[in-house]
Amino acid sequence: MTIPVPGTYVIYNIQYSTQDVDLHWANVTDGAPVVGYIYNESTQNMLWDLQVVDEEQGLVQFVNLAGNNYAGVSGEINGSGVIGTSIETTFKLHERKIGEYEIQTYNSELVWELPDGNNFTEIILSPPISFYDNQAWQFIPVDGN
């Protein structure tokens, strides 16, 4: 399996291609929602440092540049939100096709899903469905990667 190299990325949703992963208002409080939002290059809350934990297994962590906190989850059940947290949280990347990934929780089969293409829609966990492009993500490197 191929995963992106460590570095800083904007993470776009495949189905809602104008929406990227955003730590809402760069809020550093544990539990702040991670949402979809149209890209804005003047802010760092849409920039994520991808840290590879185990390349062979596709294990990674995401650190938000604005909040300097991790992407995490509010729980590992269907419908739980993806959140910002001070707790190191590991996810699994699964390449669906070249350059498109599912982001799966470490302890379950659930994956990140963007329910719609509206700004401020919280990214949630859902069972993986291979043809749901709102569960697929593309990593766009920021200059310097």
Side-chain angles (χ1 to χ4, degrees):
M1 169 179 37
T2 304
I3 64 172
V5 299
T8 303
Y9 293 88
V10 175
I11 307 170
Y12 284 94
N13 186 266
I14 297 300
Q15 181 169 337
Y16 304 111
S17 60
T18 62
Q19 298 291 304
D20 64 278
V21 178
D22 181 343
L23 179 61
H24 193 223
W25 301 112
N27 190 334
V28 297
T29 305
D30 279 3
V34 174
V35 300
Y37 198 85
I38 194 165
Y39 181 65
N40 176 354
E41 66 185 40
S42 67
T43 180
Q44 290 192 329
N45 37 315
M46 299 174 183
L47 301 179
W48 296 88
D49 185 32
L50 177 113
Q51 300 176 346
V52 175
V53 175
D54 185 321
E55 185 174 3
E56 285 185 23
Q57 294 184 48
L59 301 180
V60 298
Q61 295 176 338
F62 302 103
V63 178
N64 183 265
L65 265 59
N68 198 33
N69 55 354
Y70 293 88
V73 294
S74 59
E76 289 198 32
I77 59 170
N78 188 15
S80 292
V82 177
I83 61 170
T85 180
S86 58
I87 300 168
E88 289 186 19
T89 306
T90 300
F91 295 94
K92 297 177 190 177
L93 293 182
H94 292 282
E95 191 169 33
R96 293 172 57 164
K97 52 184 160 181
I98 295 175
E100 294 182 11
Y101 299 88
E102 287 179 339
I103 303 171
Q104 180 184 354
T105 62
Y106 183 71
N107 295 314
S108 78
E109 299 267 324
L110 300 173
V111 298
W112 290 18
E113 179 180 302
L114 184 61
D116 64 52
N118 298 321
N119 285 335
F120 302 115
T121 297
E122 186 170 10
I123 297 168
I124 62 169
L125 299 179
S126 294
I129 300 175
S130 63
F131 57 89
Y132 279 18
D133 282 347
N134 65 338
Q135 295 180 345
W137 305 88
Q138 182 178 27
F139 292 76
I140 306 298
V142 174
D143 293 340
N145 274 16

